[in-house]
């Protein structure tokens, strides 16, 4: 028993070493309650398995391997995305190979990682040596010891988890916490356990019932007084998610010989632009897309990635493509990669898109690809930065617009998601003759290379947008282009931290981030441009911040669609709110908080939206069908 409890401390310490990459932080963890609580969890699990299999080695192998793998996955995810491992990420296990391939350049074993692996192997060898001398008889071990350990684990870490574990660590279940905050308070194993524990007791209110939701619906109708849709010709709308796009020229400590975003900055003077609040950093594109197109805000519920939810959750809500298609729009989605990671085909196919195209499908609507003798060879000629280029995406959008409008299938809603500026950012991502930007900073080595390559990707995205706008300037029909970045580029360094950390803009370790860091580094940029300024949501050149939580209502407003009750509520909130995620909440008057507002008009609106989202997902859908109602 002593050997197993000591094993728990060893594995808990090694997980801290892997995640922090610091011996000093690991030793300092010995003075923290969360490490000892994690050690107790892992020690009891080791003891239960040791009793069950009558082998100290077997118990340590299973628990140690699971703990170390979990620590490495969390470490690399934070390194690449500055977002911790979430329960919902486990649904992507089948795509682990594809995800690893996308981020292969970041999967580097550092010195302390090797040290942790070596220490773990040494401990396993010691356990193997002592397994036979410490073996108990079958009856005492498997028939008595294992069940008792499982019972103790259950009593401490499940039925009594909140008062015995989470509350003492400052992470009580009554608190709304992001996964990053939970991990900071409890450590990764217990942080994930807390999320699993809290997921089983999801409830909007103790009074949740049909009567309760009828009252919520009535309050929503009073709160969300609708405004009539604009009485004008419906414009063609092109929505572009530009991978990892943000205004890099605004980073302190960084300058350029020439403006890398010249086209984007020029278009800002013609359109409406601003910061685009997002729920993640460096990854999670599919979740951002789903929030924009459906208004689903998982940060008001449990912050799980939406791509881990059943797609039925989204079909219950009036998604933007569905509403546009019902209003006479042709709706199409183009993605510049395949469907191997997030299963977009299934999710987006239920949102109202008439057609969905991935990179293997472009010959179906793009004449040059259809005419090519060798499709794969043709497509390889349009690579830029290891992915299909933003320039090709511009050509695809123009081609589809011409085809559909010639066929009389207008107005059109074309949605495109780019890939060129996706991680990773090794120096060899672009050939020397393809690099046209010159970032200037005090950075050297890997950090400087990442900034250089990311800047080139952003430059190419800006230029492709400029060419798309130039095509539509003389179009006789009204066209609105909505262009946004899903998140900042994840410029993770193999030595820990990010290039942003190297610039001194954010702490090196995620645990040290404050709410100001989250709001600053969870904000990309967006732009709305039109060939007819009358369709802009503001004066040309004006600034207006928004986010993935509220952009969908703006799309419906641009299209002149009468918003159903659900979107009228979101639109009403967008007038006073900028972003509401699990990590931070920002109002339009600049009030910033890491907790959900509960007072005033904003508190009421967010409470109503939370209740309605719960009812549509985990609840009984008492009033969900009535969210589609149009005044």
């Amino acid at each position: 028993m002593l050997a197993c409890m000591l094993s728990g401390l060893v594995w808990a310490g090694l997980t801290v070493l892997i995640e922090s990459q610091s011996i000093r932080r690991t030793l300092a963890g010995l003075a923290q309650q969360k490490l000892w609580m994690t050690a107790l969890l892992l020690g009891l699990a080791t003891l239960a398995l040791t009793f069950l299999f009558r082998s100290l080695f077997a118990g340590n192998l299973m628990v140690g391997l699971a703990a170390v793998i979990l620590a490495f996955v969390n470490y690399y995810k934070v390194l690449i995305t500055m977002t911790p491992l979430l329960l919902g990420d486990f649904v992507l296990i089948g795509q682990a190979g594809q995800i690893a391939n996308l981020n292969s350049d970041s999967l580097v074993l550092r010195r302390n990682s090797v040290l942790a692996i070596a220490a773990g192997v040494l401990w396993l060898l010691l356990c193997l040596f002592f397994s036979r001398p410490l073996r108990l008889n079958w009856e005492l071990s498997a028939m008595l010891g294992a069940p008792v350990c499982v019972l103790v684990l259950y009593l401490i870490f499940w039925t009594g988890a909140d008062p015995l574990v989470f509350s003492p660590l400052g992470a009580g279940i009554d608190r709304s916490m992001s996964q990053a905050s939970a991990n900071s308070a409890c450590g990764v194993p217990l942080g994930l356990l807390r999320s699993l524990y809290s997921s089983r007791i999801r409830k909007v209110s103790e009074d949740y019932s049909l009567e309760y939701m009828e009252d919520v619906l009535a309050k929503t109708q009073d709160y969300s007084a609708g405004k009539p849709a604009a009485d004008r010709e419906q414009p063609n709308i092109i929505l572009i998610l530009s991978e990892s796009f943000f205004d890099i020229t605004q980073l302190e400590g960084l300058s350029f010989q020439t403006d890398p975003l010249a086209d984007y900055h020029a278009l800002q003077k013609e359109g409406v632009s601003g910061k685009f609040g997002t729920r993640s950093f460096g990854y999670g594109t599919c979740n951002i897309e789903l929030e924009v197109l459906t208004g689903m805000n998982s940060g008001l519920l449990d912050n799980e990635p939406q791509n881990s939810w059943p797609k039925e959750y989204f079909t219950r809500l009036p998604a933007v493509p569905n509403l546009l298609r019902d209003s006479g729009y042709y709706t199409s989605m183009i993605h510049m990669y395949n469907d191997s990671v997030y299963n977009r085909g299934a999710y987006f196919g239920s949102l109202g898109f008439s057609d969905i195209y991935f990179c293997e499908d472009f010959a179906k609507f793009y004449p040059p690809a259809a005419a090519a003798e060798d499709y794969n060879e043709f497509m390889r000629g349009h690579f830029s930065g290891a992915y299909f280029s933003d320039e090709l995406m511009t050509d695809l959008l123009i081609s589809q617009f011409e085809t559909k409008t010639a066929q009389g299938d207008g107005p059109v809603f074309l949605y495109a998601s780019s890939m060129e500026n996706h991680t990773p950012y090794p120096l060899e991502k672009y050939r020397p003759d393809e690099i046209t930007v010159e970032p200037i900073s005090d950075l050297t080595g890997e950090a400087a290379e990442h900034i250089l390559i990311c800047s080139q990707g952003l430059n190419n995205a800006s230029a492709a947008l400029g060419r798309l706008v130039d095509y539509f300037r003389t179009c006789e029909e009204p066209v609105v282009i909505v262009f946004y970045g899903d998140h900042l580029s994840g410029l993770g360094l193999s030595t820990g931290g990010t290039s942003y950390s190297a610039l001194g803009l954010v702490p090196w370790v995620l645990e040290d981030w404050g709410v100001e860091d989250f709001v600053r580094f969870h904000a990309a940029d967006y732009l709305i441009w039109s060939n007819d300024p009358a369709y802009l949501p503001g004066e040309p050149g004006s600034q207006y911040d928004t986010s993935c939580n509220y952009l969908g209502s703006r799309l419906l407003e641009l299209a002149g669609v009468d918003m159903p009750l659900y979107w009228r509520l979101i639109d009403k909130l967008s007038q006073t709110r900028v972003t509401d995620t699990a990590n931070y909440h920002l109002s339009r008057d600049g009030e910033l908080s890491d907790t959900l507002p509960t007072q005033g008009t904003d508190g009421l609106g967010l409470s109503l939206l939370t209740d309605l989202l719960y009812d549509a997902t985990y609840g009984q859908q008492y009033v969900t069908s009535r969210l589609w109602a149009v005044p």
Side-chain angles (χ1 to χ4, degrees), residues 103-131:
N103 300 284
S104 57
D105 287 348
S106 299
L107 305 181
V108 178
L109 280 178
R110 296 174 56 199
R111 183 196 64 182
N112 285 329
S113 294
V114 175
L115 179 62
I117 293 173
V121 171
L122 178 60
W123 184 254
L124 285 174
L125 291 175
L126 287 171
C127 292
L128 179 63
F129 181 79
F130 285 105
S131 277

Side-chain angles (χ1 to χ4, degrees), residues 231-249:
D231 184 16
R232 62 191 182 191
E233 180 183 358
Q234 289 184 311
N236 299 283
I237 298 177
I238 298 177
L239 176 65
I240 297 174
L241 183 152
S242 185
E243 174 64 41
S244 301
F245 184 89
F246 71 106
D247 191 344
I248 196 170
T249 65

Side-chain angles (χ1 to χ4, degrees), residues 534-545:
Y535 284 84
L536 292 177
E539 293 297 320
S542 61
Q543 298 281 309
Y544 189 85
D545 295 343

Side-chain angles (χ1 to χ4, degrees), residues 21 255 472 491:
Q21 293 295 312
S255 59
F472 284 110
L491 305 179

Side-chain angles (χ1 to χ4, degrees), residues 59-140:
N60 269 272
L61 179 63
M62 286 183 279
V63 172
L65 196 60
V68 167
I69 290 175
L70 190 69
F72 271 117
V73 172
N74 184 71
Y75 163 70
Y76 283 119
K77 188 182 177 195
V78 171
L79 174 69
I80 296 166
T81 71
M82 291 307 282
T83 305
L85 182 66
L86 305 172
L87 284 179
D89 291 330
F90 287 94
V91 303
L92 297 176
I93 288 177
Q95 286 80 40
Q98 279 282 347
I99 295 171
N101 184 56
L102 282 173
N103 300 284
S104 57
D105 287 348
S106 299
L107 305 181
V108 178
L109 280 178
R110 296 174 56 199
R111 183 196 64 182
N112 285 329
S113 294
V114 175
L115 179 62
I117 293 173
V121 171
L122 178 60
W123 184 254
L124 285 174
L125 291 175
L126 287 171
C127 292
L128 179 63
F129 181 79
F130 285 105
S131 277
R132 187 171 293 278
L134 294 179
R135 181 169 295 168
L136 299 178
N137 63 54
W138 173 258
E139 292 80 5
L140 187 61

Side-chain angles (χ1 to χ4, degrees), residues 411-428:
V412 301
F413 173 66
L414 308 181
Y415 170 53
S417 184
S418 77
M419 276 294 291
E420 180 175 344
N421 199 38
H422 197 284
T423 57
Y425 301 97
L427 190 59
E428 60 271 16

Side-chain angles (χ1 to χ4, degrees), residues 7-8 17 54 84 86 177 240 350-351 371-372 400 406 460 493 620 629:
S7 295
L17 179 58
R54 300 177 61 231
L86 305 172
M177 300 182 74
I240 297 174
S350 65
L351 299 184
Q400 192 170 42
N460 293 352
L493 304 176
Q620 299 299 315

